[in-house]
Amino acid sequence: MSDSTRRSVIARPALALALAAAFACGLAGCSAGASPAASPAASGSGSDTGSASPRPTATSTSEPIQGQCATSSLTGSMGKGGGGAAGSVEVTIVLTNTGSTQCSLQGWPGVSFVGDGNGTQLGSAAQFDRTTPHDTVVLQPGGTAQAPLKITQALNYSDADCKPKPADGFRVYPPGSTESLFVKADNYTACTTTTVNLLTVGGLAAP
């Protein structure tokens, strides 16, 4: 074999290796003069180092936030009810989410008459009607939940048993909260004795 032929045979593997390296470099996107290496996208960032791409931060708000509504993010009002039996009326306590995020309420609100112009409780707090539905209610910003409130008329009782007094409205504790809010309703008369109970409240539900 001549010297020129021998050099050609030796050069062919080297040429093949060079071409393979150039092809691999082109796929990896490396620049001239640089060896193939992991790009920033391939190496990831933060705790996801080594992953194919950075893991996106969870920012979805499509699923309900099940956190309890803070009393400071709620306002209360009176709504119409379903009538009532003889000697009583039925209205609704309405709680509105005034916050900027959705939250939830579940159960029975604590309700009592207040008066004397200073929030003094008048008589006993409302009894719970545990026969009413009380599923968790998720309130979007501006959303409401309502609870039926039965109010027995104070005139059903003698003055001695009732010791009536005009009410300024209701003190309402959202379920699970130790903070209350005031709902104005000055067209009711409360009994100030604790032996007479005029109020029965149902569980909160969606309107």
Side-chain angles (χ1 to χ4, degrees):
M1 181 183 295
S2 65
D3 290 341
S4 61
T5 302
R6 186 181 296 110
R7 285 194 298 270
S8 176
V9 171
I10 294 172
R12 287 173 184 170
L15 178 60
L17 288 173
L19 289 173
F23 180 73
C25 188
L27 288 178
C30 56
S31 59
S35 59
S39 66
S43 63
S45 62
S47 60
D48 291 326
T49 300
S51 62
S53 61
R55 184 177 300 170
T57 302
T59 57
S60 173
T61 59
S62 60
E63 294 188 4
I65 297 173
Q66 296 299 325
Q68 177 178 293
C69 296
T71 302
S72 59
S73 295
L74 296 170
T75 59
S77 60
M78 299 294 295
K80 294 181 179 180
S88 67
V89 295
E90 186 173 295
V91 295
T92 55
I93 295 290
V94 181
L95 299 180
T96 302
N97 178 12
T98 58
S100 59
T101 59
Q102 54 190 1
C103 59
S104 65
L105 293 170
Q106 192 276 328
W108 295 263
V111 181
S112 60
F113 279 120
V114 292
D116 292 340
N118 57 10
T120 297
Q121 180 170 324
L122 304 179
S124 300
Q127 296 177 334
F128 294 158
D129 179 2
R130 297 188 181 276
T131 66
T132 56
H134 51 279
D135 294 335
T136 298
V137 183
V138 177
L139 283 69
Q140 301 291 338
T144 62
Q146 59 186 34
L149 179 66
K150 179 183 176 181
I151 307 170
T152 300
Q153 294 181 7
L155 293 177
N156 290 351
Y157 301 91
S158 67
D159 287 355
D161 290 336
C162 176
K163 295 184 180 178
K165 179 177 285 190
D168 298 328
F170 300 95
R171 177 183 293 129
V172 179
Y173 288 91
S177 178
T178 58
E179 296 182 41
S180 64
L181 50 85
F182 172 69
V183 177
K184 182 178 176 60
D186 55 8
N187 54 336
Y188 298 105
T189 299
C191 288
T192 59
T193 61
T194 57
T195 55
V196 173
N197 195 306
L198 301 182
L199 305 175
T200 304
V201 66
L204 286 161

